[in-house]
Amino acid sequence: MSHRRAVALMILVTLLWSIAGVVSRYLESAGSFEVTFWRSLFNALALSVALLAMRGPALWRGLAQASWPLWFSGFCWSVMFTAFMLAITLTTVANVLVTMAIGPLITALFTRLFLNHRLPARTWMAIALAGVGIGWMFWQEAHSGLSLAGTSVALAVPLAAALNFTTLQHVGHRQVDGGTAARQDMLPAVLIGALLSSAFTLPLAYPFRASAHDIGLLAMLGVVQLAIPCLLLVRLSRVLAAPEIALLGLLEVVFGVAWAWLGAGEQPGASTLTGGALVLGALIANEALALRAREAGGSDRDRRGRLPGQGADLVGKIP
């Protein structure tokens, strides 16, 4: 695959991710937990078909024999899938996407805390600036009397994502350092996450109130907005540098806010725009500097630690 084609496909991935907010605004009667249940269920069905085609019957044997990192990663995916849709039903699309955008920086911080990866000064500055942006959003919502529930639930997405990709980094480095020839296949963790999310929300979704119209939209989200872009991203990660993927992934925030504004009349508030500018500015500056350092040859620390924008930093972009 050429670099130009990979970039075009990554932009398509962010477009697919970004439609969840505006589509959810056209649901007729489905409640928040029911929305999450149906989207996760259809995501699980689509991933089952795709992974069975890719792995064959060995897929289910691999799940049964998998070690704890795969199941822990699956649990983190389930939190991400569940919290995202719940947050969308509780607050604006812009608030959710801006809150999720801090995922790469939380991941960098977690790798410092749990894996002892040293962070460059630029990443510490970006974490501080993004924290100010999110803090500003929370403070403005509380000051104006708005409910903090939606933004608080949305915060679970980047936190779970950071734990998820810190675990994946730990597994990858352990296998490399230990000379393991075959890497553990972590892609089925996405399927586990979808299955767990649908199982967790099933009791809370009852009694079902979704119309046929709602189920059709949620089926589209499960397949088009989650399953397809997740599988595409795995393929693109072999071609694009991770800082480049992280930068392109920020388009989800822009696209998502634009869809909600144009398609559902959901105009972002001033506090969201201010906080979002701080978060996105910190991410763009951090990732651009990382990409520049990588192009110049980088250091062994940047290559091994994948900081601040390599594989671990892709988290938070996948709701």
Side-chain angles (χ1 to χ4, degrees), residues 29-38 86 197-210:
S29 55
S32 56
F33 286 105
E34 189 178 359
V35 167
T36 304
F37 166 75
W38 285 115
L86 290 179
S197 177
S198 59
F200 290 159
T201 54
L202 175 58
L204 299 170
Y206 189 81
F208 294 124
R209 293 177 297 177

Side-chain angles (χ1 to χ4, degrees), residues 15-185:
L15 274 170
L16 295 177
W17 282 338
S18 68
I19 65 173
V22 65
V23 170
S24 68
R25 297 304 185 248
Y26 286 91
L27 297 174
E28 296 174 341
S29 55
S32 56
F33 286 105
E34 189 178 359
V35 167
T36 304
F37 166 75
W38 285 115
R39 189 185 76 138
S40 294
L41 178 63
F42 285 112
N43 180 32
L45 291 174
L47 287 172
S48 296
V49 172
L51 290 176
L52 277 173
M54 296 165 60
R55 305 287 193 267
L59 170 67
W60 303 118
R61 292 195 300 270
L63 289 180
Q65 300 170 1
S67 58
W68 71 265
L70 183 70
W71 287 94
F72 182 76
S73 176
F75 174 77
C76 291
W77 281 115
S78 72
V79 173
M80 294 160 62
F81 294 151
T82 304
F84 174 76
M85 288 309 293
L86 290 179
I88 284 290
T89 63
L90 295 172
T91 188
T92 65
V93 174
N95 276 13
V96 174
L97 293 177
V98 169
T99 302
M100 286 171 49
I102 66 172
L105 299 178
I106 296 180
T107 303
L109 182 59
F110 278 12
T111 57
R112 176 67 181 94
L113 294 175
F114 300 123
L115 303 182
N116 202 31
H117 291 164
R118 289 184 294 175
L119 302 184
R122 64 175 180 268
T123 303
W124 286 114
M125 294 179 63
I127 289 171
L129 186 58
V132 170
I134 295 298
W136 173 260
M137 287 175 52
F138 271 89
W139 185 83
Q140 286 294 320
E141 288 186 25
H143 186 69
S144 61
L146 296 176
S147 173
L148 297 177
T151 306
S152 300
V153 171
L155 191 59
V157 178
L159 288 172
L163 287 172
N164 186 8
F165 279 78
T166 300
T167 301
L168 296 181
Q169 239 183 32
H170 170 67
V171 171
H173 290 174
R174 183 181 62 189
Q175 290 172 334
V176 170
D177 295 340
T180 304
R183 290 180 177 271
Q184 182 174 348
D185 183 11

Side-chain angles (χ1 to χ4, degrees), residues 256-280:
V257 173
W259 289 133
W261 194 343
L262 297 175
E266 192 173 287
Q267 183 174 352
S271 63
T272 301
L273 292 175
T274 302
L278 289 172
V279 172
L280 293 180

Side-chain angles (χ1 to χ4, degrees), residues 215-306:
I215 293 176
L217 290 180
L218 293 170
M220 181 189 70
L221 288 182
V223 176
V224 177
Q225 189 260 335
L226 271 188
I228 292 175
C230 282
L231 294 173
L232 277 176
L233 183 64
V234 173
R235 176 64 181 89
L236 295 176
S237 65
R238 304 175 189 173
V239 180
L240 298 176
E244 191 172 12
I245 292 177
L247 280 172
L248 291 170
L250 294 177
L251 290 173
E252 182 194 359
V253 180
V254 179
F255 291 149
V257 173
W259 289 133
W261 194 343
L262 297 175
E266 192 173 287
Q267 183 174 352
S271 63
T272 301
L273 292 175
T274 302
L278 289 172
V279 172
L280 293 180
L283 280 165
I284 290 171
N286 189 48
E287 300 295 348
L289 288 172
L291 182 58
R292 183 177 177 182
R294 182 182 176 87
E295 290 174 347
S299 65
D300 183 65
R301 175 189 63 194
D302 288 330
R303 290 193 299 271
R304 286 183 54 78
R306 296 185 178 183

